[in-house]
Amino acid sequence: MSKIDEKLQPVLDEVLRRNAGEAEFHQAVKEVLESLGRVVAKHPDYADHALIERICEPERQIIFRVPWIDDDGQVQINRGFRVQFNSALGPYKGGIRFHPSVNLGIIKFLGFEQIFKNALTGMPIGGGKGGSDFNPRGRSDREIMRFCQAFMLELHRHLGEYTDVPAGDIGVGGREIGYMFGQYKRLTNRYEAGVLTGKGLAYGGSRARTEATGFGLVYFVQQMLATKGQSLDGKRVVVSGSGNVAIYAIDKVRQFGGTVVACSDSNGYIVDEEGIDLALLREIKEVRRARLSTYVELKGPGARYIEGGSIWDVPCQIALPCATQNELTGKDATTLIKNGVEVVGEGANMPSTPDAVDLFHGQGVMFAPGKAANAGGVATSALEMQQNASRDSWSFEQTEARLAQIMRGIHDDCAATADEYSAPGNYVLGANIAGFVRVAEAMSALGVV
Ligand code: NDP
């Protein structure tokens, strides 16, 4: 387990004191600070002017009430959040999550990770994140629309294409972005296309944005394998989750010749040794918005549904956690290693617990942290902003080619930085340091703000 540098321990102590009870935020900050000891040793100036303390403190945190009326005429109250974490590189950029587990600590961990992720893309975007404890499951389409409108009624005054540009995340896909964009347009009387990304193609969205996070993850894994003279062709893969990131990771693994034998939702997982039927999965999740157990009913013999349990019990060479934070524990890592896992690529944000990451590193499993491996989504969001600014619309092929190029760049940057700091193959260290240095350079230039 890496240790925190003694110069940085007080920074962590202050974060823990000031943000009591925010476990996920503590976890994310600790991981980054553990990597930064080597940078501060080499470049003590990065610790000047409390730069690292400032990077751990959000520039602005907004918490608001979201009242709305359900289909039975009852008033419902949810809580909305937007954490505008760091704007040294550009407008705040990061998704919006609708899930009952959402609280300030989770939004802050996501916003903090987003700073470094966005820096790694090389695009001019700062870091932020938002969301609500609203549970979309079981809500009618009209309820979803009313909630999105109520949420935007407050949020709109904090946004702008040069200020803060949200996108989707768990529970927020194309439908929700459409409702939020419609409300923003009505409230501001501006067709400000670049204020939200993940928009539909009919009103300023980018081709390949829906696919980008999952596709980008698989491009990153392919790059890692290439460093060992290998590829995804013929590999047995397990993907957790069955949402946006998971579906397009499954799609790209298949395109590269791998077989995805299992995926999950929060109730259980399915195993299909023939390879997950992607058309069927998309029909269930994107059209019917049904539970994953439906897959087995529709597919028939051959596929199995396991209620509860851990998807990481399914043997595989490549594991792609694409559901949520801390979904892959030390126990799961031990099982995966015993079953011969070779590569773990994080599609979700911080899905592996710290002890799981230590086990992977200790056992020589190639490990791609989310802030590098899932950066394809936000990178393509930045391409969407670019198309909106120039009132242009690129082809799918052109956009995907840019995405592939960006993911190759992030991979090479992380690998080269890990080498430079005497930790070859440690993509966690490489990602944290490469992202940090980019933000630190800008923050130093901008003075104490
Ligand atoms: P979706 O809402 O489309 O899908 C989420 C999937 O994860 C669903 O299958 C869901 O199951 C499952 N899931 C969610 N919460 C839990 C939980 N607490 N326990 C078990 N399973 C859970 O979200 P995305 O695919 O967009 O996001 C997945 C991950 O990827 C998140 O960590 C997100 O932050 C990250 N990410 C997303 C990006 C994007 O562009 N969308 C960009 C970068 C990262 P169920 O339906 O049962 O809830």
Side-chain angles (χ1 to χ4, degrees):
M1 164 121 37
S2 23
K3 288 246 330 217
I4 196 152
D5 185 275
E6 59 180 28
K7 283 200 215 64
L8 297 176
Q9 186 64 46
V11 181
L12 180 62
D13 292 342
E14 182 60 7
V15 167
L16 300 185
R17 189 194 66 76
R18 209 180 235 177
N19 305 279
E22 296 177 357
E24 292 84 0
F25 181 50
H26 299 170
Q27 183 182 336
V29 172
K30 184 162 183 278
E31 188 217 88
V32 169
L33 292 182
E34 279 172 355
S35 299
L36 296 189
R38 296 178 198 225
V39 192
V40 177
K42 209 168 174 173
H43 300 283
D45 50 308
Y46 284 144
D48 288 350
H49 308 300
L51 190 146
I52 298 176
E53 287 86 337
R54 278 189 286 141
I55 231 172
C56 295
E57 180 67 19
E59 290 176 15
R60 192 172 297 107
Q61 307 181 55
I62 301 144
I63 304 181
F64 51 98
R65 182 174 67 196
V66 189
W68 59 283
I69 297 173
D70 69 17
D71 284 349
D72 297 328
Q74 299 295 315
V75 175
Q76 300 286 337
I77 306 288
N78 286 99
R79 185 172 286 181
F81 301 90
R82 186 72 184 166
V83 173
Q84 299 180 330
F85 223 118
N86 193 297
S87 61
L89 295 179
Y92 309 105
K93 183 88 198 83
I96 288 178
R97 176 177 292 192
F98 291 164
H99 193 271
S101 64
V102 163
N103 58 38
L104 183 61
I106 287 182
I107 298 299
K108 273 159 75 175
F109 118 66
L110 291 163
F112 184 73
E113 293 275 293
Q114 198 82 43
I115 304 170
F116 307 98
K117 178 190 311 195
N118 292 4
L120 282 172
T121 66
M123 324 285 275
I125 41 180
K129 199 83 187 189
S132 172
D133 58 2
F134 170 68
N135 186 359
R137 192 186 293 172
R139 290 294 178 188
S140 71
D141 194 56
R142 279 166 310 177
E143 288 179 317
I144 298 283
M145 182 173 75
R146 284 200 296 275
F147 177 79
C148 289
Q149 291 176 342
F151 183 76
M152 190 51 92
L153 193 56
E154 169 60 30
L155 188 66
H156 83 280
R157 61 182 106 249
H158 309 288
L159 306 183
E161 62 179 321
Y162 296 107
T163 307
D164 186 351
V165 182
D169 191 80
I170 291 177
V172 177
R175 174 180 58 169
E176 293 75 18
I177 293 289
Y179 293 148
M180 286 193 268
F181 184 71
Q183 178 76 329
Y184 182 89
K185 184 173 80 61
R186 174 168 68 171
L187 290 165
T188 59
N189 195 27
R190 280 164 63 83
Y191 204 104
E192 199 183 323
V195 75
L196 282 170
T197 59
K199 299 184 295 297
L201 289 181
Y203 62 97
S206 172
R207 291 186 177 80
R209 173 60 187 95
T210 308
E211 294 83 356
T213 309
F215 276 22
L217 166 67
V218 178
Y219 278 121
F220 194 97
V221 167
Q222 183 83 330
Q223 290 293 323
M224 290 172 95
L225 286 164
T227 65
K228 307 270 186 217
Q230 296 183 32
S231 78
L232 272 152
D233 196 25
K235 298 279 191 200
R236 186 182 159 93
V237 184
V238 166
V239 176
S240 68
S242 49
N244 172 266
V245 180
I247 285 173
Y248 294 98
I250 295 171
D251 191 2
K252 194 47 93 180
V253 167
R254 280 162 34 117
Q255 289 179 31
F256 281 152
T259 305
V260 179
V261 294
C263 68
S264 61
D265 65 13
S266 52
N267 295 109
Y269 63 94
I270 53 168
V271 180
D272 188 342
E273 292 289 344
E274 289 172 8
I276 299 291
D277 180 335
L278 189 63
L280 179 57
L281 181 67
R282 290 189 58 179
E283 162 73 21
I284 292 167
K285 300 310 289 188
E286 295 179 342
V287 181
R288 301 186 187 200
R289 298 184 187 273
R291 306 307 297 159
L292 193 56
S293 50
T294 319
Y295 182 95
V296 176
E297 291 155 30
L298 296 172
K299 180 81 194 294
R304 289 181 291 134
Y305 174 69
I306 295 97
E307 181 92 25
S310 170
I311 190 174
W312 309 118
D313 291 343
V314 181
C316 61
Q317 292 162 294
I318 298 182
L320 304 177
C322 295
T324 194
Q325 64 274 359
N326 293 327
E327 53 157 314
L328 196 167
T329 64
K331 184 165 169 281
D332 298 322
T334 304
T335 308
L336 282 166
I337 292 165
K338 182 166 68 65
N339 288 335
V341 74
E342 295 158 18
V343 182
V344 176
E346 294 189 327
N349 286 308
M350 209 170 74
S352 314
T353 59
D355 55 334
V357 178
D358 285 342
L359 283 163
F360 293 139
H361 280 152
Q363 296 297 314
V365 175
M366 283 193 276
F367 177 76
K371 66 169 76 70
N374 71 29
V378 74
T380 309
S381 276
L383 299 179
E384 182 173 333
M385 292 161 74
Q386 210 170 311
Q387 292 169 74
N388 293 150
S390 58
R391 308 217 184 284
D392 200 358
S393 176
W394 306 345
S395 69
F396 193 96
E397 292 68 26
Q398 186 185 357
T399 318
E400 193 185 350
R402 286 288 303 273
L403 168 66
Q405 182 191 29
I406 291 166
M407 295 314 295
R408 199 163 42 243
I410 297 174
H411 171 274
D412 293 353
D413 207 6
C414 294
T417 307
D419 286 347
E420 186 189 337
Y421 285 87
S422 314
N426 187 334
Y427 287 87
V428 173
L429 196 108
N432 286 337
I433 295 182
F436 168 78
V437 166
R438 219 162 262 164
V439 181
E441 289 286 340
M443 285 179 71
S444 298
L446 297 178
V448 178
V449 291

